Amino acid sequence: MKKLIALISLLICCSCKKEKFTISNLNNNNILILGHGGMGLGDLYPMDSAESILRCLNLETDGTEFDVQMTSDSVLVLYHDTELSQSTTLKGVINSLNWSEVKNARYKETLYSNYSIISLEQLFSSLPDPHRFKFTFDCKLYTDNGNTQQFYERYSRAIIRILEKYQLEDNVYIESQSTEFLQLFKNKKSFYKFFIYPASFEEG
């Protein structure tokens, strides 16, 4: 029995050896800790809400990813789903409504009914020092506009305006599933950080 205990102890000690590895990535070989829509799904607050994002940042993470959509009057808002009725009291695609309509939407799940959709402007203006953090804009390109090129142009200009206003060009990663959108955007601002979020492993 003593031999068995000694053997188990030896195995435990050997398995606790600290691994050494080299990080090699495009982020100066650093790994960032980012939230997913703030605190992610299943939290006390709805994903992409101001409360979820602020809670995430107050936990001393490096920043957060969130979903960005654009209203018909070019206001960037934080919302994940394709259509408003999927999660809120409103109906329609965000790009078919203006900000004065979208800001009245309330999340319809009972736990989240006191929370509303916020604009990117509201988020950045509420942060004492947004330059402390990194942000990933998951660009949701949902629109009823038949002119995709025109929509991409307006969308990219809206992002450029807000990043220049808050001087956050170095703090933001632009993410999309559309290579066409990313290329159009990159032609405007080649020094921005872009990456594709492929729909499948094969596409990636």
Side-chain angles (χ1 to χ4, degrees), residues 48-94:
D48 291 326
S49 66
E51 293 79 5
S52 182
I53 290 166
L54 293 174
R55 184 171 180 220
C56 169
L57 299 180
N58 287 333
L59 289 173
E60 298 185 7
T61 59
D62 294 305
T64 185
E65 172 268 3
F66 41 68
D67 304 287
V68 180
Q69 297 195 43
M70 185 179 70
T71 64
S72 61
D73 51 347
S74 298
V75 175
L76 297 171
V77 301
L78 309 186
Y79 184 70
H80 179 273
D81 295 333
T82 309
E83 220 265 352
L84 283 162
S85 63
Q86 291 172 262
S87 300
T88 78
T89 53
L90 283 185
K91 291 182 180 179
V93 176
I94 283 182

Side-chain angles (χ1 to χ4, degrees), residues 125-170:
S125 65
S126 70
L127 295 176
D129 184 12
H131 299 94
R132 286 177 47 209
F133 304 106
K134 300 291 185 185
F135 303 99
T136 294
F137 291 10
D138 184 349
C139 299
K140 302 294 189 189
L141 304 172
Y142 306 135
T143 182
D144 290 336
N145 183 348
N147 190 333
T148 306
Q149 187 79 8
Q150 182 187 64
F151 173 67
Y152 289 172
E153 285 282 350
R154 287 180 51 237
Y155 196 120
S156 57
R157 285 198 304 268
I159 291 177
I160 291 166
R161 275 196 303 274
I162 200 156
L163 294 189
E164 288 182 347
K165 178 176 180 179
Y166 289 94
Q167 299 178 331
L168 287 169
E169 294 97 329
D170 291 333

Side-chain angles (χ1 to χ4, degrees), residues 70 139 141 147-160 174 176 178-192 194:
M70 185 179 70
C139 299
L141 304 172
N147 190 333
T148 306
Q149 187 79 8
Q150 182 187 64
F151 173 67
Y152 289 172
E153 285 282 350
R154 287 180 51 237
Y155 196 120
S156 57
R157 285 198 304 268
I159 291 177
I160 291 166
I174 308 296
S176 176
S178 169
T179 53
E180 183 184 352
F181 171 72
L182 292 172
Q183 191 59 59
L184 177 146
F185 205 149
K186 188 176 180 181
N187 290 341
K188 294 176 184 295
K189 295 286 182 180
S190 61
F191 63 93
Y192 279 22
F194 300 96

Side-chain angles (χ1 to χ4, degrees), residues 87-105:
S87 300
T88 78
T89 53
L90 283 185
K91 291 182 180 179
V93 176
I94 283 182
N95 190 241
S96 67
L97 303 169
N98 60 40
W99 170 236
S100 63
E101 296 168 300
V102 172
K103 70 181 178 181
N104 294 319

Side-chain angles (χ1 to χ4, degrees), residues 25 32-34 55 101 160 164 167 172 177 188 198 200:
N25 64 30
L32 300 180
I33 300 172
L34 302 176
R55 184 171 180 220
E101 296 168 300
I160 291 166
E164 288 182 347
Q167 299 178 331
V172 170
Q177 290 192 328
K188 294 176 184 295
S200 68

